[in-house]
Amino acid sequence: MTVSPDALVEIAEESPQADLTEPSGAGPEIGNRRLRKEDQRLITGRTKWTDNIVLPGMLHLAMVRSPFAHAKITSIDTSGAQGLPNVVAVFTAADFPDGMGACANAWPITPEQVTPDHLPMIGERVACAGEIVAVVVARSAKEARDAAEQVDVDYEELPAVFDAMEAMKDEILAHPDKGTNKSAFWKLDSKEAGTGGDVDEAIAKARQDGVVIEREFRQQRLIPAFMEPRSTVVDPTGEQVTMWSATQIPHILRFLIAATTGMPESKVRVIAPDVGGGFGGKLQTTPEEFITLAVARRLGKPCKYTETRSESLISGHHGRDQYQKLTLAAEKDGTVTGLKVDLVANLGAYVAIVGGGVPVLGAWMFNSIYKFPAYQFNCQTVLTNTTWVDAYRGAGRPEATFGIERIMDELAAELGRDPLEVREQNWIKHEEFPFTSVAGMTYDSGNYEAATARAKELFGYDALRAEQAERRERKDPVQLGIGVSTFTEMCGLAPSRVLGSLAYGAGGWEHASIRMLPTGKVEVITGTSPHGQGHETAWSQIVADRLGVPFEDVEVLHGDTAVAYKGLDTYGSRSLVVGAEAVVRAADKVIEKAKGFAAHMLEASEDDLEFVGGRYGVKGTDKGVGLTDIALATFASHDYPEHLEPGIDADATFDPDNFSFPHGTHLCAMEVDTETGQSRMRSYVCVDDIGHIINPLIVEGQIHGGLVQGIAQALWEEAIFDENGTLVTGSFVDYTLPTAADTISFVTENTVSPSTTNTLGAKGVGEAGTIASTPAVVNAIVDALRPMGIDDVVMPCTPQRVWKAIQTAGDHSGDVAAQAQPHFDEGAANADPGVTGEGNGQ
């Protein structure tokens, strides 16, 4: 049966879910479970993804990619492709002697960082599989892809290195011209920074009269796997070159195109239309964007490139891929005294746009919610012949949360105590906020006690512990494990001064404009660029409340650098706490600007006016005038005060003084079959504190999606290269993504401790579920197996890995080395190896 688009619209409009939307005027918009404005056009197909864009005379591109991880290009024969019907051109790097621009690294974490040039098209030596060596241009995408298979490239294969710990040895070089695989060494030491004591002294003392826990953990490589593949369309035929791209960063993309190609920025327009997910995976300037731009300009015709799913998996950047060694010192009563973290982080073949800085973000989060007196963080980044690695949902925070929450469970096990009890003994109490952590971060607000108490109640914690004890007593083959994850994160990536001190290549401010139209409608122009977060809905709710206008009368514009001319885009859970705060401040400026006009129209003093519900009233009278009436009057401008300019539109730019710090408690119950290794999730409860909530429906969606991604890392997902550097998980047949059938119904709730860094009192939520859920699940699996002597299972915790851990129980089964993983070399990340520099956090 075929359903027409009109019928789909009717179905959407008549959906029973419509009762979630309160009618206009039913109360404040903030806190209202509004259905998203965006969804009707998305679910009915009445939208424009980049791949839907069709321009007159448009040509299509297909990329020729290297099958080798490391090889010298000895020749390229394009004649076989050029002779095919409807093939317009075939280009190699040699056809662009002046270059095509470059993929930039915007965050050199040290001055000495080794940063290989990352060119869009390779002419001499490929450094990872999937690199582009030629591009075919044809009149259809199918013809371009068919012709690309006829391009004959000869390679001389070179030795390659794929694993970070192997790369540390510098025996095989990912980039021989660099002389080393070590990109940068970065360190944060609480003694040197003046934020705490000497961690080595704390560890030495604990070895004498306390407890020292040492563990090695592996953060496997993940693929963002967004729903919409990346796509780029370039029209070079107008006064400006216009690029449509499925990107998270239209403003940054525009800047970097101009900066690396020499094109005037005023002649570049970038549009991010509806974007089908990103999770950090579209936080790049990509080779494909530069190539499509260069080819379109060369031919003078519109060009489109849309990747296949297999191309997306191999050439879009990956995430995580770290080796972690944690050493925790504590007194015998469980009070923590020191934490030392050593990381080796795989960057892949290139240092991506913020790739070098992603593992460094964990420096401020390994200490988490705990009051460590001494702390040290050491990070060595390395280059390998694998797909480049960059931000993936959480970006450094999930890695840190996993490490600290796993080792806090290990401390509790060593002491024979309940893991929640040990956490509570060491966490920051609610009356101690604001609190400056040992890493130098000032947490402005929080209440870990309240979130944990509510999570325990919803979870039935004590009853599950009793059931666990009973199962252990009767040696049930299916054991019950209870996993705990209490977390905080720094989000709202923003404070420009902080980013500047860390050599980050951009600021952190955000911009917004509000236009009061004479018809009574309101346009909100935001510098944030959503890719599924619901900005159009949430921003409309905020403005509706602030200006006293109907929700339906607010239109939010974004993602087009010719419309939203100023902004820094969407990533790092910054949109609400930075971008929406700019919207609030623009709205407040509108109210202030309109006040003078209201006083003139009401023949009253400004001091006698009050603004309530979208209307200026004269105190003590029934005289008043609406904000939309003022907008119409200023449009005509027949009569306005001489000291005022016509119009009440306003702009605002917000740069916060600090990050925001959401937190929460996640509890997971897993049933583990000790005979088969099969793990089954029985229940999952999370109580998150994200400050004041704008739209609970959107928040629930963000948390649910984040939980599934974090759980997927724990149980299913892993990007694997073979001994030749081929991505063997190069399709969704092999790279295991969960579906709704693989998950359970989660219990989610929120406590509220308002943020003090923005007037909304809001904190970020986009990454919270992903950050907290992975250690909760792994802790639960390990908790089920701990009576067997198992203290770790390397992720993903597949039935095979769990079964193998059980079979080798008692033989150091939890060690990374025992599970066919390279062992963390002693001192690998803190011996100041190779080319190094030092950075100290503030």
Side-chain angles (χ1 to χ4, degrees):
M1 181 179 72
T2 303
V3 182
S4 70
D6 288 338
L8 284 171
V9 171
E10 291 177 10
I11 291 169
E13 290 174 343
E14 295 172 3
S15 168
Q17 285 187 315
D19 62 8
L20 291 169
T21 306
E22 293 185 15
S24 178
E29 282 294 339
I30 291 179
N32 192 348
R33 297 173 63 87
R34 280 281 188 183
L35 292 177
R36 301 195 321 171
K37 286 184 173 183
E38 302 90 329
D39 286 347
Q40 187 178 82
R41 70 174 185 269
L42 295 175
I43 65 175
T44 60
R46 295 183 173 184
T47 187
K48 268 200 173 165
W49 310 111
T50 302
D51 191 48
N52 294 146
I53 294 168
V54 178
L55 302 176
M58 186 171 71
L59 302 174
H60 296 262
L61 275 57
M63 306 300 170
V64 180
R65 299 180 183 274
S66 168
F68 297 105
H70 196 197
K72 181 180 178 181
I73 300 169
T74 57
S75 68
I76 303 178
D77 182 358
T78 64
S79 59
Q82 288 175 327
L84 293 176
N86 291 320
V87 171
V88 175
V90 183
F91 296 112
T92 67
D95 294 308
F96 296 89
D98 296 329
M100 299 177 163
C103 298
N105 168 237
W107 192 356
I109 60 173
T110 70
E112 301 88 357
Q113 176 177 283
V114 175
T115 309
D117 292 338
H118 191 180
L119 302 178
M121 193 180 294
I122 307 303
E124 297 181 0
R125 180 184 59 85
V126 296
C128 63
E131 287 214 84
I132 300 165
V133 299
V135 58
V136 175
V137 188
R139 301 197 185 280
S140 74
K142 182 181 184 302
E143 289 166 324
R145 287 195 292 268
D146 288 345
E149 294 181 1
Q150 302 306 312
V151 176
D152 188 11
V153 186
D154 282 335
Y155 298 92
E156 178 186 322
E157 198 167 357
L158 300 172
V161 61
F162 311 119
D163 177 75
M165 300 308 297
E166 288 299 311
M168 286 288 294
K169 301 174 184 176
D170 275 344
E171 294 174 354
I172 299 173
L173 298 180
H175 294 273
D177 58 310
K178 296 301 179 185
T180 181
N181 292 322
K182 302 178 183 73
S183 179
F185 176 76
W186 196 95
K187 176 182 178 182
L188 188 156
D189 187 284
S190 62
K191 182 179 180 182
E192 295 174 5
T195 56
D198 187 311
V199 74
D200 290 325
E201 289 181 4
I203 293 170
K205 185 175 188 302
R207 291 193 193 279
Q208 295 295 320
D209 54 15
V211 178
V212 175
I213 308 292
E214 294 179 291
R215 292 290 185 272
E216 298 175 15
F217 302 123
R218 177 77 170 107
Q219 283 280 322
Q220 78 270 38
R221 181 178 285 237
L222 303 173
I223 300 176
F226 30 73
M227 184 177 292
E228 176 207 19
R230 295 173 303 163
S231 182
T232 301
V233 174
V234 176
D235 183 0
T237 60
E239 287 291 320
Q240 289 181 313
V241 173
T242 302
M243 174 185 285
W244 291 263
S245 181
T247 181
Q248 296 177 220
I249 54 168
H251 296 91
I252 294 171
L253 175 57
R254 179 194 190 210
F255 167 75
L256 288 174
I257 286 172
T260 64
T261 66
M263 295 177 65
E265 192 171 353
S266 61
K267 296 298 184 183
V268 182
R269 178 185 182 186
V270 175
I271 302 171
D274 284 313
V275 176
F279 313 121
K282 293 174 181 172
L283 176 65
Q284 289 297 340
T285 55
T286 68
E288 294 86 353
E289 287 165 334
F290 284 107
I291 291 171
T292 307
L293 174 66
V295 170
R297 294 180 72 200
R298 169 70 67 87
L299 298 177
K301 292 180 178 293
C303 290
K304 177 194 286 187
Y305 168 75
T306 300
E307 67 186 3
T308 65
R309 182 59 69 180
S310 59
E311 285 181 299
S312 177
L313 294 177
I314 183 63
S315 65
H317 79 246
H318 295 172
R320 312 286 194 264
D321 202 342
Q322 287 183 5
Y323 288 91
Q324 304 176 335
K325 180 178 179 181
L326 276 68
T327 305
L328 184 148
E331 297 176 1
K332 288 181 179 179
D333 70 351
T335 302
V336 296
T337 58
L339 177 67
K340 187 174 186 178
V341 178
D342 296 322
L343 295 187
V344 175
N346 189 352
L347 301 182
Y350 298 100
V351 188
I353 191 167
V354 293
V358 165
V360 167
L361 286 173
W364 295 280
M365 288 288 102
F366 270 96
N367 53 287
S368 190
I369 66 176
Y370 307 112
K371 295 185 285 189
F372 283 98
Y375 173 60
Q376 187 182 94
F377 171 91
N378 304 289
C379 177
Q380 178 70 57
T381 60
V382 297
L383 300 162
T384 62
N385 297 115
T386 59
T387 304
W388 31 322
V389 177
D390 205 339
Y392 171 57
R393 198 169 189 171
R397 281 76 52 81
E399 299 93 312
T401 300
F402 181 85
I404 186 61
E405 287 304 286
R406 284 289 295 111
I407 205 164
M408 287 300 289
D409 255 32
E410 296 304 300
L411 173 62
E414 178 70 19
L415 298 173
R417 293 174 58 190
D418 182 276
L420 272 176
E421 181 184 285
V422 172
R423 284 168 169 81
E424 183 173 6
Q425 177 180 341
N426 288 287
W427 71 37
I428 304 157
K429 304 302 187 288
H430 71 275
E431 65 269 15
E432 295 178 291
F433 288 96
F435 184 91
T436 300
S437 77
V438 71
M441 280 286 174
T442 299
Y443 301 169
D444 63 326
S445 67
N447 192 329
Y448 310 139
E449 300 97 313
T452 302
R454 183 58 178 152
K456 287 181 67 177
E457 179 183 359
L458 293 169
F459 191 65
Y461 187 84
D462 293 338
L464 283 169
R465 283 292 183 199
E467 180 185 341
Q468 179 187 58
E470 188 271 332
R471 285 198 190 196
R472 288 179 176 178
E473 178 67 23
R474 61 182 167 88
K475 300 189 183 332
D476 193 318
V478 179
Q479 286 292 303
L480 178 65
I482 297 171
V484 175
S485 177
T486 51
F487 83 104
T488 189
E489 59 154 322
M490 51 183 282
C491 70
L493 187 67
S496 295
R497 296 176 190 85
V498 174
L499 297 178
S501 71
L502 297 172
Y504 186 80
W509 50 264
E510 195 48 80
H511 183 78
S513 302
I514 291 183
R515 299 173 186 159
M516 300 298 300
L517 305 180
T519 54
K521 309 300 183 183
V522 181
E523 284 183 344
V524 178
I525 300 93
T526 176
T528 63
S529 185
H531 40 282
Q533 291 89 341
H535 293 184
E536 293 177 29
T537 302
W539 279 216
S540 294
Q541 291 179 267
I542 292 166
V543 171
D545 273 0
R546 210 75 176 188
L547 298 183
V549 297
F551 169 82
E552 296 79 8
D553 287 352
V554 182
E555 184 79 14
V556 179
L557 307 177
H558 56 79
D560 182 342
T561 62
V563 176
Y565 71 94
K566 189 176 181 182
L568 283 173
D569 307 320
T570 294
Y571 41 86
S573 296
R574 68 187 303 274
S575 292
L576 179 64
V577 297
V578 187
E581 180 66 15
V583 170
V584 167
R585 294 183 180 218
D588 289 346
K589 285 185 178 181
V590 167
I591 294 168
E592 187 60 31
K593 287 180 74 172
K595 193 173 187 179
F597 291 95
H600 180 73
M601 294 169 71
L602 295 170
E603 298 181 336
S605 167
E606 290 188 27
D607 294 337
D608 292 333
L609 298 184
E610 57 185 358
F611 182 76
V612 179
R615 186 175 178 82
Y616 293 90
V618 180
K619 297 172 185 175
T621 76
D622 59 0
K623 292 178 61 178
V625 62
L627 184 62
T628 54
D629 297 324
I630 296 171
L632 179 59
T634 58
F635 170 72
S637 294
H638 295 157
D639 179 22
Y640 61 92
E642 292 183 1
H643 67 284
L644 298 177
E645 295 179 358
I648 56 173
D649 299 346
D651 294 356
T653 301
F654 175 61
D655 194 347
D657 296 325
N658 195 6
F659 301 94
S660 72
F661 297 92
H663 68 82
T665 298
H666 290 224
L667 300 174
C668 174
M670 297 289 294
E671 292 182 328
V672 181
D673 189 327
T674 60
E675 296 176 343
T676 67
Q678 184 69 42
S679 301
R680 184 183 73 86
M681 186 173 291
R682 175 165 153 181
S683 63
Y684 195 105
V685 168
C686 64
V687 177
D688 291 296
D689 188 329
I690 58 170
H692 288 149
I693 293 173
I694 306 302
N695 185 318
L697 201 60
I698 290 177
V699 165
E700 288 168 13
Q702 287 277 20
I703 291 175
H704 285 180
L707 289 176
V708 172
Q709 284 187 281
I711 292 166
Q713 177 175 7
L715 297 178
W716 298 297
E717 292 187 38
E718 184 175 21
I720 300 172
F721 294 92
D722 67 14
E723 65 277 4
N724 298 313
T726 301
L727 182 68
V728 297
T729 51
S731 75
F732 284 157
V733 173
D734 304 297
Y735 187 81
T736 308
L737 289 179
T739 68
D742 299 305
T743 59
I744 65 172
S745 294
F746 310 119
V747 177
T748 67
E749 204 168 283
N750 299 97
T751 54
V752 177
S753 55
S755 172
T756 63
T757 64
N758 59 82
T759 58
L760 292 165
K763 304 176 182 179
V765 69
E767 298 163 298
T770 304
I771 290 168
S773 56
T774 308
V777 174
V778 176
N779 277 342
I781 292 172
V782 173
D783 186 54
L785 302 176
R786 198 175 292 281
M788 300 179 178
I790 295 169
D791 61 17
D792 193 27
V793 178
V794 174
M795 295 186 294
C797 301
T798 60
Q800 183 182 38
R801 281 185 173 167
V802 172
W803 184 84
K804 283 185 175 180
I806 293 168
Q807 301 311 303
T808 56
D811 183 27
H812 305 290
S813 59
D815 289 351
V816 172
Q819 297 185 46
Q821 299 283 354
H823 192 67
F824 197 114
D825 293 336
E826 184 67 34
N830 63 2
D832 212 31
V835 178
T836 65
E838 243 181 51
N840 280 316
Q842 48 179 31

